[in-house]
Amino acid sequence: MPGLLATGLRTLQDAVTATGNGNLFDVAGDSAIALRVVGASGLSSGTVAFEGTIDGSNFDAVFATRSDSLAVATTYAVSADDDVLFFVNIAGLMNFRARVSAISAGSGSITVTGQAVPNSPYPMSTFVQGMGAHDA
């Protein structure tokens, strides 16, 4: 079974020091996204809101799972020297964004990058069989 190719690393927020929507990530046809949220040294505090849309204009909160604790939330409070990985189910969405909804930058900033994985062309049974399970 061939591997699924990720869509490539994208920058959603690039060392920002002010609130803003950032760059849209076109995720149509993708199933999941891995996000890296980084708070640069000197950042006082900030908040990143995870949001998605099915129509390209109306954004709603989307749950993200923190990789190191499995905590699930729609926002993340960023601090200086943070470097945190999140996983997000984005199946069925047209666009995803990581909006900086609050920031007290001090001398720091917030950067968010992401990489999506396309929807699988294989039925779930293919993955289960590939992991050593068998049909009953």
Side-chain angles (χ1 to χ4, degrees):
M1 171 174 46
L4 299 176
L5 298 176
T7 59
L9 190 64
R10 307 280 169 79
T11 300
L12 287 85
Q13 297 282 354
D14 192 7
V16 298
T17 57
T19 60
N21 293 334
N23 299 316
L24 285 182
F25 198 154
D26 178 1
V27 294
D30 295 327
S31 61
I33 187 170
L35 292 177
R36 182 179 179 205
V37 177
V38 177
S41 179
L43 177 71
S44 296
S45 65
T47 303
V48 173
F50 308 114
E51 299 174 335
T53 179
I54 61 171
D55 62 12
S57 59
N58 298 299
F59 284 83
D60 294 298
V62 175
F63 284 105
T65 303
R66 189 172 165 157
S67 68
D68 60 351
S69 67
L70 300 181
V72 178
T74 59
T75 62
Y76 176 64
V78 187
S79 300
D81 301 319
D82 274 356
D83 190 343
V84 182
L85 186 63
F86 291 89
F87 297 103
V88 185
N89 177 350
I90 45 92
L93 296 178
M94 178 185 287
N95 300 111
F96 176 85
R97 70 184 182 193
R99 179 174 56 88
V100 174
S101 60
I103 189 167
S104 177
S107 61
S109 62
I110 296 174
T111 299
V112 181
T113 54
Q115 182 164 304
V117 175
N119 286 327
S120 171
Y122 306 104
M124 183 53 103
S125 62
T126 302
F127 290 108
V128 173
Q129 289 171 4
M131 293 187 298
H134 59 83
D135 293 329

